[in-house]
Amino acid sequence: MTSSPNGARRRRPVLVPVASALAVVGIGVTAAFGGFTEAPEKPPPTASPGETIDQGQFRTQFIKAIDTTEQGDFGTTKRYLELVLKVTNMGKETASVGIMPEPGKGFRQSTTFASSLLRTRPEIKTKYGPQVSVFSLGVESRQLHPGITTTVVVKYELEPTAAAPPEISLDVGSFEYQKIGLRDQTHYWMLAGEREDDKGAFEPEVAARITLPVRKESA
């Protein structure tokens, strides 16, 4: 090995790739300004009124939203905001229409249709929550039979003097065919989403977001 005139060994230059150096500098700058920022959450796909949404177990067409009145008991008049849907159960078993999630109470991994109507914007506040019913050939029920397209109506009772919103948006979930546990291999259609752990909160996946104009309609 060649030595320098004063007897000390000559050091070879150490080459640092430019990209690596810039990456180190970038990390330092990012750390100095509070670390990495998370990318904004990607909004869900949007659907138009009348479009059919594939929910896995169901094919759902969101027909309309109306501000309407109906005759109640003893000659009274009740006012409702109604969402009218056409729902086809694509599964092999009868499904319960169920109830919608209560705002602010979290979600659970349900098997019922209405559990997939995750939230509305604006939130429609009623004393007892919305009524969700199935209508087929003029008969009201709570069941969605396989292979049959039926009308589902979501009814919010409004105060007589309350102003209905000009439009209403819904976040709609979907269903996955999955087994209910490690030991129990029985499969069910269940609301798709993520759970932090066995005791953590369940967060459903938003498959689509749809906005319906609200129009006045006589009963």
Side-chain angles (χ1 to χ4, degrees), residues 53-131:
I53 297 176
D54 181 2
Q55 294 186 262
Q57 184 183 7
F58 305 101
R59 300 290 186 273
T60 305
Q61 185 181 19
F62 290 78
I63 304 297
K64 60 183 178 179
I66 59 174
D67 177 3
T68 186
T69 56
E70 294 181 8
Q71 292 298 318
D73 297 329
F74 308 108
T76 60
T77 300
K78 292 188 176 182
R79 185 159 162 254
Y80 295 96
L81 173 62
E82 295 186 359
L83 310 179
V84 182
L85 294 63
K86 291 287 187 181
V87 181
T88 305
N89 181 359
M90 306 299 293
K92 296 181 180 180
E93 305 291 337
T94 297
S96 171
V97 72
I99 60 175
M100 290 179 62
E102 188 176 351
K105 299 295 185 180
F107 300 92
R108 60 187 182 91
Q109 195 171 24
S110 174
T111 61
T112 67
F113 168 76
S115 68
S116 69
L117 306 180
L118 304 176
R119 61 181 66 87
T120 65
R121 294 181 179 86
E123 177 188 330
I124 308 299
K125 296 182 179 180
T126 61
K127 186 175 182 180
Y128 301 107
Q131 306 170 33

